[in-house]
Amino acid sequence: MSVSPVVVPAGDFGRAALGIFLEACAPFAAPVVGLATGNTPIPLYQALGEAVRARAIGIGHLRPFAIDEYGGPRDHPCSNRAFFARYWDSIAGAPAVGQFDPESASASREAARLGATLSTAGGLDVVVLGIGLNGHLAFNEPGTERTRGAHAATLRAETRESARACWGAGTPGWGLTLGLKELLQSTRAILLASGAAKAEVVARALKGPVSRDCPASFLQEHPALTVVLDEGAASLLT
Ligand code: GLP
């Protein structure tokens, strides 16, 4: 499938992403939504919060799931749990996010638990994804099989390097993640990328070969993918 991204100026990124997110959720009475963390989706959650505050929309009907979590202390300020507390739970009426517990005794059982909970909920109706500089989706690092379900993953050096900006010397070496299986089985997928630093990996993911070397390239085969980019992230697409 050839992917035609929505490209917007950086200042419009949050609003554009919100429009696509709401449109993707609209057909479902109680959409199961997979939510990314990281810098990229912050403008989306901020725009969502503004829309709720303006009473333009409500989000009480969403059934949100985190797509991943760092293998660090649960309440660390750089955990995804802390991210959701800051950017999601602060929105009036936001339903609690189904999340991984990185302090559970068995990481693999914990990954399977959230995968099973998601599956009982019917799987993802809509998933919001960011992309790692090495092409990862959630914590599905290069080399991950596209059929792999939720699992505990060893983080690649590049991923730890990006995480170091927040985690510093305590950067976790592993994470919990929904698998490519759950992410790619979503009814609708939304890939977000912003900034020129993502331009190369975005081009590789959308125009390069579909391969485990770049997990995000599997999105080319997704039947209902929307890509939202700012001009920087789109700058290497011809
Ligand atoms: C992290 C997360 C991903 C996220 C990616 C990009 O490693 N596991 O879910 O999409 O990095 O993050 P950012 O948006 O901060 O560039």
Side-chain angles (χ1 to χ4, degrees):
M1 189 184 79
S2 128
V3 183
S4 318
V6 174
V7 181
V8 297
D12 293 340
F13 188 71
R15 219 166 9 154
L18 178 63
I20 301 288
F21 177 69
L22 295 177
E23 179 251 319
C25 289
F28 305 96
V32 175
V33 295
L35 300 177
T37 57
N39 293 317
T40 310
I42 292 175
L44 163 64
Y45 301 133
Q46 288 173 332
L48 185 62
E50 279 164 30
V52 169
R53 273 196 301 282
R55 298 183 198 281
I57 57 161
I59 59 168
H61 64 302
L62 302 182
R63 290 183 286 162
F65 282 81
I67 62 170
D68 57 18
E69 179 57 285
Y70 287 96
R74 196 171 35 218
D75 296 324
H76 190 286
C78 302
S79 69
N80 289 350
R81 190 170 293 260
F83 179 97
F84 285 117
R86 207 171 304 134
Y87 295 108
W88 181 266
D89 301 342
S90 57
I91 303 174
V97 180
Q99 300 193 49
F100 294 105
D101 179 0
E103 293 182 25
S104 140
S106 159
S108 57
R109 273 209 297 277
E110 173 59 9
R113 180 198 62 80
L114 198 67
T117 307
L118 175 62
S119 163
T120 303
L124 294 167
D125 294 313
V126 177
V127 66
V128 176
L129 297 163
I131 182 171
L133 286 171
N134 64 7
H136 72 218
L137 290 179
F139 279 139
N140 292 274
E141 294 281 33
T144 309
E145 296 284 349
R146 61 166 301 159
T147 50
R148 185 105 197 251
H151 61 280
T154 301
L155 304 187
R156 301 271 290 239
E158 317 84 79
T159 304
R160 291 201 308 274
E161 189 49 43
S162 301
R164 216 177 303 283
C166 185
W167 287 86
T171 300
W174 63 281
L176 289 157
T177 187
L178 295 182
L180 290 172
K181 176 175 161 214
E182 290 92 359
L183 301 179
L184 296 170
Q185 278 176 351
S186 55
T187 308
R188 287 281 309 259
I190 301 168
L191 177 67
L192 304 179
S194 55
K198 292 282 173 74
E200 196 181 330
V201 73
V202 164
R204 223 155 46 88
L206 302 184
K207 305 289 180 194
V210 175
S211 149
R212 281 189 299 178
D213 297 342
C214 180
S217 67
F218 290 125
L219 288 170
Q220 291 179 36
E221 297 176 345
H222 193 288
L225 169 71
T226 306
V227 182
V228 185
L229 305 175
D230 74 357
E231 291 165 344
S235 58
L236 293 178
L237 293 172
T238 44

Coordinates of all heavy atoms in Angstrom, one line a residue, residues 65-69 98-101 106-120 124 137-141 144-154 174-185:
F65 N -5.4 1.9 26.6 CA -4.4 1.0 27.0 C -3.0 1.7 26.6 O -2.9 2.2 25.5 CB -4.4 -0.3 26.2 CG -5.5 -1.3 26.7 CD1 -6.8 -1.1 26.4 CD2 -5.1 -2.3 27.6 CE1 -7.8 -2.0 26.8 CE2 -6.1 -3.2 28.1 CZ -7.4 -3.0 27.7
A66 N -2.1 1.5 27.5 CA -0.7 1.9 27.2 C -0.1 0.9 26.2 O -0.4 -0.3 26.4 CB 0.1 2.0 28.5
I67 N 0.7 1.4 25.3 CA 1.3 0.4 24.4 C 2.6 -0.1 24.9 O 3.1 -1.1 24.4 CB 1.4 1.0 22.9 CG1 2.4 2.2 22.9 CG2 0.1 1.3 22.3 CD1 2.7 2.6 21.5
D68 N 3.2 0.6 25.9 CA 4.5 0.1 26.4 C 4.8 0.7 27.8 O 4.1 1.6 28.2 CB 5.6 0.3 25.4 CG 5.8 1.8 25.0 OD1 5.3 2.7 25.7 OD2 6.5 2.0 23.9
E69 N 5.9 0.3 28.4 CA 6.3 0.8 29.7 C 7.8 0.5 29.8 O 8.3 -0.6 29.4 CB 5.5 0.2 30.8 CG 5.9 0.7 32.2 CD 5.9 2.2 32.4 OE1 6.8 2.9 31.9 OE2 4.9 2.7 33.1
G98 N -5.2 1.2 30.9 CA -4.7 -0.1 31.2 C -3.2 -0.1 31.0 O -2.8 0.3 29.9
Q99 N -2.4 -0.5 32.0 CA -1.0 -0.3 31.9 C -0.2 -1.6 32.4 O -0.7 -2.4 33.1 CB -0.5 0.8 32.8 CG -1.2 2.1 32.3 CD -0.5 3.3 33.0 OE1 0.7 3.5 32.9 NE2 -1.3 4.2 33.5
F100 N 1.0 -1.7 31.9 CA 1.9 -2.7 32.4 C 2.5 -2.3 33.7 O 2.7 -1.1 34.0 CB 3.1 -2.8 31.4 CG 2.8 -3.3 30.0 CD1 2.8 -2.4 29.0 CD2 2.6 -4.6 29.8 CE1 2.5 -2.8 27.7 CE2 2.4 -5.1 28.5 CZ 2.3 -4.2 27.4
D101 N 2.7 -3.3 34.6 CA 3.4 -3.0 35.9 C 4.8 -3.6 35.8 O 5.0 -4.8 35.8 CB 2.6 -3.7 37.0 CG 3.3 -3.5 38.3 OD1 4.3 -2.8 38.4 OD2 2.8 -4.0 39.3
S106 N 7.1 -11.3 37.5 CA 7.5 -11.9 36.2 C 7.2 -11.0 35.1 O 6.0 -10.7 34.8 CB 6.8 -13.2 36.0 OG 6.8 -13.6 34.7
A107 N 8.2 -10.4 34.4 CA 7.9 -9.5 33.3 C 7.2 -10.2 32.2 O 6.3 -9.6 31.6 CB 9.3 -9.0 32.8
S108 N 7.5 -11.4 31.9 CA 6.9 -12.1 30.7 C 5.4 -12.4 31.1 O 4.5 -12.2 30.2 CB 7.6 -13.3 30.3 OG 7.7 -14.2 31.4
R109 N 5.1 -12.7 32.3 CA 3.7 -13.0 32.7 C 2.9 -11.7 32.7 O 1.8 -11.6 32.3 CB 3.6 -13.7 34.1 CG 3.7 -15.2 34.0 CD 3.0 -15.9 35.1 NE 3.5 -15.5 36.4 CZ 4.6 -16.1 36.9 NH1 5.2 -17.1 36.3 NH2 5.0 -15.8 38.1
E110 N 3.6 -10.6 33.1 CA 2.9 -9.3 33.1 C 2.6 -8.8 31.7 O 1.5 -8.3 31.4 CB 3.8 -8.3 33.8 CG 3.4 -6.8 33.8 CD 2.0 -6.6 34.4 OE1 1.4 -7.5 35.0 OE2 1.4 -5.5 34.3
A111 N 3.5 -9.1 30.8 CA 3.3 -8.7 29.4 C 2.1 -9.5 28.9 O 1.2 -9.0 28.2 CB 4.5 -9.0 28.5
A112 N 2.1 -10.8 29.2 CA 1.0 -11.7 28.7 C -0.3 -11.2 29.3 O -1.4 -11.3 28.7 CB 1.3 -13.1 29.0
R113 N -0.3 -10.8 30.6 CA -1.5 -10.3 31.3 C -2.2 -9.2 30.6 O -3.3 -9.2 30.2 CB -1.2 -9.9 32.7 CG -2.4 -9.5 33.5 CD -2.1 -8.7 34.8 NE -1.4 -7.4 34.5 CZ -1.9 -6.3 34.1 NH1 -3.2 -6.2 33.9 NH2 -1.2 -5.2 33.9
L114 N -1.4 -8.1 30.2 CA -2.0 -7.0 29.6 C -2.4 -7.4 28.2 O -3.5 -6.9 27.7 CB -1.0 -5.8 29.5 CG -1.8 -4.5 29.3 CD1 -2.7 -4.1 30.4 CD2 -0.9 -3.3 29.0
G115 N -1.6 -8.2 27.5 CA -2.0 -8.7 26.2 C -3.4 -9.4 26.2 O -4.3 -9.2 25.4
A116 N -3.6 -10.2 27.3 CA -4.8 -11.0 27.4 C -6.0 -10.0 27.8 O -7.1 -10.2 27.3 CB -4.7 -12.1 28.5
T117 N -5.7 -9.0 28.6 CA -6.8 -8.1 29.0 C -7.2 -7.3 27.7 O -8.4 -7.1 27.5 CB -6.2 -7.1 30.0 OG1 -5.7 -7.8 31.1 CG2 -7.3 -6.1 30.5
L118 N -6.3 -7.0 26.9 CA -6.6 -6.2 25.7 C -7.4 -7.1 24.7 O -8.4 -6.7 24.1 CB -5.3 -5.8 25.0 CG -5.4 -5.1 23.6 CD1 -6.2 -3.8 23.7 CD2 -4.0 -4.9 23.0
S119 N -7.0 -8.4 24.7 CA -7.7 -9.3 23.8 C -9.1 -9.5 24.2 O -10.1 -9.5 23.5 CB -6.9 -10.6 23.7 OG -7.6 -11.6 23.2
T120 N -9.3 -9.6 25.6 CA -10.7 -9.8 26.1 C -11.5 -8.5 25.8 O -12.7 -8.6 25.6 CB -10.6 -10.0 27.7 OG1 -9.8 -11.1 27.9 CG2 -12.0 -10.2 28.3
L124 N -7.4 -3.8 19.7 CA -7.3 -2.3 19.5 C -8.3 -1.9 18.4 O -8.1 -2.4 17.3 CB -5.9 -1.9 19.2 CG -4.9 -2.1 20.3 CD1 -3.5 -1.9 19.8 CD2 -5.1 -1.1 21.5
L137 N 8.5 0.4 17.0 CA 7.1 0.8 17.4 C 6.9 0.3 18.8 O 7.1 -0.9 19.1 CB 6.1 0.1 16.4 CG 6.0 0.5 15.0 CD1 5.0 -0.3 14.2 CD2 5.7 2.0 14.8
A138 N 6.4 1.2 19.7 CA 6.3 0.9 21.1 C 7.7 0.4 21.5 O 8.7 1.1 21.2 CB 5.2 -0.1 21.4
F139 N 7.9 -0.8 22.1 CA 9.3 -1.3 22.3 C 9.5 -2.5 21.4 O 10.3 -3.4 21.8 CB 9.5 -1.6 23.7 CG 9.9 -0.4 24.6 CD1 9.3 -0.2 25.8 CD2 10.7 0.6 24.1 CE1 9.7 0.9 26.6 CE2 11.0 1.7 24.8 CZ 10.5 1.9 26.1
N140 N 8.9 -2.6 20.2 CA 9.2 -3.6 19.3 C 10.4 -3.2 18.5 O 10.3 -2.4 17.6 CB 8.0 -3.9 18.3 CG 6.9 -4.5 19.1 OD1 6.8 -5.7 19.2 ND2 6.0 -3.7 19.6
E141 N 11.6 -3.7 18.9 CA 12.9 -3.2 18.4 C 13.1 -3.9 17.0 O 12.5 -4.9 16.7 CB 14.0 -3.5 19.4 CG 13.9 -2.8 20.7 CD 14.4 -1.3 20.6 OE1 14.2 -0.7 19.5 OE2 14.9 -0.8 21.6
T144 N 12.3 -7.7 15.6 CA 11.1 -8.4 16.2 C 10.2 -8.9 15.0 O 9.9 -8.3 14.0 CB 10.2 -7.3 17.0 OG1 11.1 -6.7 17.9 CG2 9.1 -8.0 17.7
E145 N 9.7 -10.2 15.3 CA 8.8 -10.8 14.3 C 7.4 -10.1 14.3 O 6.9 -9.7 15.4 CB 8.5 -12.3 14.8 CG 9.7 -13.2 14.7 CD 10.0 -13.6 13.3 OE1 9.3 -13.4 12.4 OE2 11.1 -14.2 13.2
R146 N 6.8 -9.9 13.2 CA 5.5 -9.2 13.1 C 4.4 -10.0 13.7 O 3.3 -9.4 14.0 CB 5.2 -8.8 11.7 CG 5.0 -9.9 10.7 CD 4.3 -9.5 9.4 NE 3.0 -8.9 9.8 CZ 2.3 -8.0 9.0 NH1 2.8 -7.6 7.9 NH2 1.2 -7.6 9.4
T147 N 4.6 -11.2 14.0 CA 3.6 -12.0 14.7 C 3.7 -12.1 16.2 O 2.9 -12.7 16.9 CB 3.6 -13.5 14.2 OG1 5.0 -13.9 14.3 CG2 3.2 -13.6 12.7
R148 N 4.7 -11.4 16.7 CA 5.0 -11.5 18.1 C 4.0 -10.7 18.9 O 3.6 -9.6 18.6 CB 6.4 -10.8 18.4 CG 6.9 -10.9 19.8 CD 8.0 -11.9 19.9 NE 8.2 -12.3 21.3 CZ 9.3 -12.0 22.0 NH1 10.3 -11.3 21.4 NH2 9.4 -12.4 23.3
G149 N 3.4 -11.3 20.0 CA 2.5 -10.6 20.9 C 3.2 -9.8 22.0 O 4.4 -9.7 21.9
A150 N 2.4 -9.4 22.9 CA 3.0 -8.6 24.0 C 4.1 -9.3 24.7 O 4.0 -10.5 24.9 CB 1.9 -8.3 25.0
H151 N 5.2 -8.6 25.0 CA 6.4 -9.2 25.5 C 7.2 -8.3 26.3 O 7.1 -7.0 26.2 CB 7.2 -9.9 24.4 CG 7.7 -9.0 23.4 ND1 6.9 -8.5 22.3 CD2 8.9 -8.5 23.2 CE1 7.7 -7.7 21.6 NE2 8.9 -7.7 22.1
A152 N 8.2 -8.8 27.0 CA 9.3 -8.0 27.7 C 10.4 -8.0 26.6 O 10.8 -9.0 26.1 CB 9.7 -8.7 28.9
A153 N 10.9 -6.8 26.4 CA 11.9 -6.6 25.3 C 13.2 -6.0 25.9 O 13.1 -5.1 26.8 CB 11.3 -5.6 24.3
T154 N 14.3 -6.4 25.3 CA 15.6 -5.8 25.7 C 15.7 -4.5 24.8 O 15.4 -4.6 23.6 CB 16.7 -6.7 25.3 OG1 16.5 -7.9 26.1 CG2 18.1 -6.1 25.7
W174 N 15.4 -2.6 29.7 CA 14.3 -3.4 29.1 C 13.0 -2.7 29.2 O 12.9 -1.6 29.9 CB 14.2 -4.8 29.8 CG 13.9 -4.7 31.3 CD1 14.8 -4.4 32.3 CD2 12.6 -4.9 31.9 NE1 14.1 -4.4 33.5 CE2 12.8 -4.8 33.3 CE3 11.4 -5.2 31.4 CZ2 11.7 -4.9 34.2 CZ3 10.3 -5.4 32.3 CH2 10.5 -5.2 33.7
G175 N 12.0 -3.2 28.6 CA 10.7 -2.6 28.6 C 9.6 -3.7 28.4 O 9.9 -4.8 28.0
L176 N 8.4 -3.3 28.7 CA 7.2 -4.2 28.4 C 6.4 -3.5 27.2 O 6.3 -2.3 27.2 CB 6.3 -4.2 29.6 CG 6.9 -5.0 30.8 CD1 6.3 -4.6 32.1 CD2 6.7 -6.5 30.6
T177 N 6.0 -4.3 26.3 CA 5.4 -3.7 25.1 C 4.3 -4.6 24.6 O 4.3 -5.8 24.6 CB 6.5 -3.5 24.1 OG1 5.9 -2.8 23.0 CG2 7.1 -4.8 23.5
L178 N 3.2 -4.0 24.0 CA 2.3 -4.7 23.2 C 3.2 -5.2 22.0 O 4.2 -4.5 21.6 CB 1.2 -3.9 22.7 CG 0.2 -3.4 23.8 CD1 -1.0 -2.6 23.2 CD2 -0.4 -4.6 24.6
G179 N 2.8 -6.3 21.4 CA 3.6 -6.8 20.3 C 3.2 -6.2 18.9 O 2.1 -5.5 18.9
L180 N 4.0 -6.4 17.9 CA 3.5 -6.0 16.6 C 2.2 -6.7 16.2 O 1.4 -6.1 15.5 CB 4.6 -6.4 15.6 CG 5.9 -5.6 15.7 CD1 7.0 -6.1 14.8 CD2 5.7 -4.1 15.4
K181 N 2.0 -7.9 16.8 CA 0.7 -8.6 16.5 C -0.5 -7.7 16.9 O -1.3 -7.4 16.1 CB 0.7 -9.9 17.3 CG -0.5 -10.7 17.2 CD -0.3 -12.0 17.9 CE -1.7 -12.6 18.2 NZ -1.6 -13.4 19.5
E182 N -0.5 -7.3 18.2 CA -1.6 -6.5 18.6 C -1.7 -5.1 17.9 O -2.8 -4.6 17.6 CB -1.5 -6.2 20.2 CG -1.7 -7.4 21.0 CD -0.5 -8.1 21.4 OE1 0.6 -7.7 20.9 OE2 -0.5 -9.2 22.1
L183 N -0.5 -4.5 17.7 CA -0.5 -3.2 17.1 C -1.0 -3.2 15.6 O -1.8 -2.4 15.2 CB 0.9 -2.6 17.1 CG 1.5 -2.4 18.5 CD1 2.9 -1.8 18.4 CD2 0.7 -1.5 19.4
L184 N -0.5 -4.3 14.9 CA -0.9 -4.3 13.5 C -2.3 -4.9 13.3 O -2.8 -4.7 12.2 CB 0.2 -5.2 12.7 CG 1.6 -4.6 12.7 CD1 2.6 -5.6 12.2 CD2 1.6 -3.3 12.0
Q185 N -2.8 -5.5 14.3 CA -4.2 -6.0 14.2 C -5.3 -4.9 14.5 O -6.5 -5.2 14.5 CB -4.5 -7.2 15.1 CG -4.0 -8.5 14.6 CD -4.1 -9.7 15.6 OE1 -4.5 -9.5 16.7 NE2 -3.9 -10.9 15.1

